[in-house]
Amino acid sequence: MAHVLGQNQYGKAENRIVRVHRDGIRHEIRDLNVSVALQGDFEDVHLTGSNANCLPTDTTKNTVYAFAREYGIESAEAFGITLARHFVDATAPVRSARIRIEEYTWNRISQDTGHSFVRDGGEVRTSEIGYDGESVQVVSGLRDLVVMNTTDSEFSGYLKDGYTTLREAYDRILATQVTARWAHGYRGRDGEAQPDWNRSYAQVRRHLLEAFAQTYSYSLQQTLHAMGTRVLDNRAEVDEVRLELPNKHHFLVDLSPFDLENDNEVYYAADRMYGLIEGTVHREGVTPVIPVA
């Protein structure tokens, strides 16, 4: 019985790319997940192993990053059209191209800063209440709050040994996915009024974001301390803040093979291999109660 090669395609899936437009002090971010799939005259690739008509998937990845630098990203739709047209028009064996793009929206943390953003969606508000028959313990919190500074962050002067390959950075993207928990002084004793929980949550969240945006960061550890301190300085009902800040690394893409400069504009957004920074800031004389997760 004869066998026939049916529908087939190939490409590069989920190319994570962050494009920072640095026209002036007010930056703009386009954060995309781009997948490329190509169809065409690829029978020999499957049937005989000849790669003569095969455009490497690595090339499609490089094209995505290079086009982001060369043409910018006005919209996901326009960027996808440009890519699809390129792959079909410039590569004879390619008959059709499908570009799938997911875009993650970032909003400005404050209108007073041009480089600090918070990403839409995914944030979860949390609370944990303990009661031992005598007193109440309330720990509020949030998780999956993704924030980014596109400048005002560096990392240098660190310990180095024979295994150190990391280069010092004096102007880098600082991004993290915040998990924060904070313990209240409220104990629920007779006559003790409860705080306005919703207002308290909103205000703690605001101070976390403002501290992140307004701190010139020499390390994520320093930023963590500034965030916790800002909450305690401004919210009397909070006794302790515990933060977990994974460092969501963004690496500059080397575009020199394509004769393109990359002046802190096109980054590869890694979704693994991040450091995890954890710490607690509490009032002097207060015994911490929030456990390490």
Side-chain angles (χ1 to χ4, degrees), residues 79-92:
F79 187 59
I81 290 170
T82 300
L83 286 171
R85 285 178 171 169
H86 166 79
F87 287 122
V88 174
D89 293 344
T91 310

Side-chain angles (χ1 to χ4, degrees), residues 151-168:
T151 191
D152 283 357
S153 173
E154 59 181 82
F155 188 59
S156 62
Y158 44 81
L159 283 173
K160 303 176 181 68
D161 63 17
Y163 300 101
T164 302
T165 59
L166 183 70
R167 295 181 179 179
E168 294 191 345

Side-chain angles (χ1 to χ4, degrees), residues 246-272:
N247 201 330
K248 297 176 71 65
H249 291 297
H250 290 67
F251 300 104
L252 277 174
V253 179
D254 181 10
L255 299 178
S256 60
F258 321 115
D259 295 324
L260 294 172
E261 295 182 357
N262 189 5
D263 186 16
N264 289 349
E265 292 179 301
V266 178
Y267 298 82
Y268 164 66
D271 62 355
R272 294 294 184 271

Side-chain angles (χ1 to χ4, degrees), residues 42-107:
F42 306 134
E43 288 81 3
D44 285 346
V45 181
H46 295 84
L47 302 179
T48 71
S50 170
N51 293 320
N53 284 355
C54 183
L55 184 72
T57 62
D58 191 68
T59 302
T60 65
K61 176 200 70 177
N62 291 339
T63 303
V64 171
Y65 289 119
F67 272 39
R69 171 61 182 88
E70 198 165 2
Y71 301 108
I73 303 175
E74 182 178 351
S75 69
E77 292 83 358
F79 187 59
I81 290 170
T82 300
L83 286 171
R85 285 178 171 169
H86 166 79
F87 287 122
V88 174
D89 293 344
T91 310
V94 176
R95 295 288 178 262
S96 66
R98 186 186 68 212
I99 314 296
R100 288 179 172 171
I101 300 177
E102 300 172 346
E103 182 169 7
Y104 311 108
T105 302
W106 296 79
N107 291 324

Side-chain angles (χ1 to χ4, degrees), residues 3-291:
H3 301 286
V4 177
L5 175 67
Q7 188 276 340
N8 63 89
Q9 62 190 37
Y10 77 99
K12 202 72 165 182
E14 299 190 11
N15 297 283
R16 286 289 284 108
I17 179 171
V18 173
R19 175 61 154 99
V20 180
H21 293 270
R22 297 174 176 269
D23 299 329
I25 62 173
R26 195 169 180 82
H27 297 172
E28 300 289 342
I29 291 177
R30 304 311 295 258
D31 187 349
L32 307 180
N33 193 13
V34 181
S35 294
V36 178
L38 307 178
Q39 293 185 353
D41 299 333
F42 306 134
E43 288 81 3
D44 285 346
V45 181
H46 295 84
L47 302 179
T48 71
S50 170
N51 293 320
N53 284 355
C54 183
L55 184 72
T57 62
D58 191 68
T59 302
T60 65
K61 176 200 70 177
N62 291 339
T63 303
V64 171
Y65 289 119
F67 272 39
R69 171 61 182 88
E70 198 165 2
Y71 301 108
I73 303 175
E74 182 178 351
S75 69
E77 292 83 358
F79 187 59
I81 290 170
T82 300
L83 286 171
R85 285 178 171 169
H86 166 79
F87 287 122
V88 174
D89 293 344
T91 310
V94 176
R95 295 288 178 262
S96 66
R98 186 186 68 212
I99 314 296
R100 288 179 172 171
I101 300 177
E102 300 172 346
E103 182 169 7
Y104 311 108
T105 302
W106 296 79
N107 291 324
R108 299 186 187 281
I109 290 177
S110 168
Q111 294 304 312
D112 296 329
T113 177
H115 63 264
S116 299
F117 302 83
V118 57
R119 200 175 81 186
D120 277 352
E123 179 187 340
V124 178
R125 177 176 174 174
T126 64
S127 60
E128 181 177 338
I129 297 90
Y131 177 62
D132 60 8
E134 294 183 1
S135 65
V136 173
Q137 179 66 68
V138 179
V139 178
S140 300
L142 56 84
R143 61 179 172 84
D144 299 332
L145 176 63
V146 181
V147 292
M148 173 189 289
N149 280 335
T150 52
T151 191
D152 283 357
S153 173
E154 59 181 82
F155 188 59
S156 62
Y158 44 81
L159 283 173
K160 303 176 181 68
D161 63 17
Y163 300 101
T164 302
T165 59
L166 183 70
R167 295 181 179 179
E168 294 191 345
Y170 300 96
D171 186 6
R172 66 171 183 169
I173 282 182
L174 181 68
T176 187
Q177 183 169 307
V178 179
T179 297
R181 290 172 289 167
W182 52 93
H184 297 269
Y186 173 76
R187 293 293 180 268
R189 298 186 176 93
D190 290 343
E192 185 180 5
Q194 292 192 29
D196 183 334
W197 300 112
N198 288 328
R199 175 173 171 75
S200 177
Y201 176 86
Q203 291 299 310
V204 170
R205 181 183 184 277
R206 177 173 72 85
H207 288 299
L208 289 171
L209 290 175
E210 288 181 353
F212 180 83
Q214 296 170 11
T215 300
Y216 188 101
S217 180
Y218 294 96
S219 68
L220 190 50
Q221 289 91 331
Q222 177 208 5
T223 299
L224 180 152
H225 185 262
M227 293 168 72
T229 299
R230 173 76 170 249
V231 172
L232 295 181
D233 284 346
N234 289 277
R235 301 307 305 173
E237 75 275 17
V238 177
D239 283 345
E240 172 192 355
V241 181
R242 178 160 185 84
L243 290 159
E244 301 169 23
L245 305 178
N247 201 330
K248 297 176 71 65
H249 291 297
H250 290 67
F251 300 104
L252 277 174
V253 179
D254 181 10
L255 299 178
S256 60
F258 321 115
D259 295 324
L260 294 172
E261 295 182 357
N262 189 5
D263 186 16
N264 289 349
E265 292 179 301
V266 178
Y267 298 82
Y268 164 66
D271 62 355
R272 294 294 184 271
M273 296 176 61
Y274 49 66
L276 178 59
I277 312 303
E278 301 175 280
T280 299
V281 184
H282 62 87
R283 299 190 188 280
E284 187 175 3
V286 172
T287 301
V289 297
I290 303 175

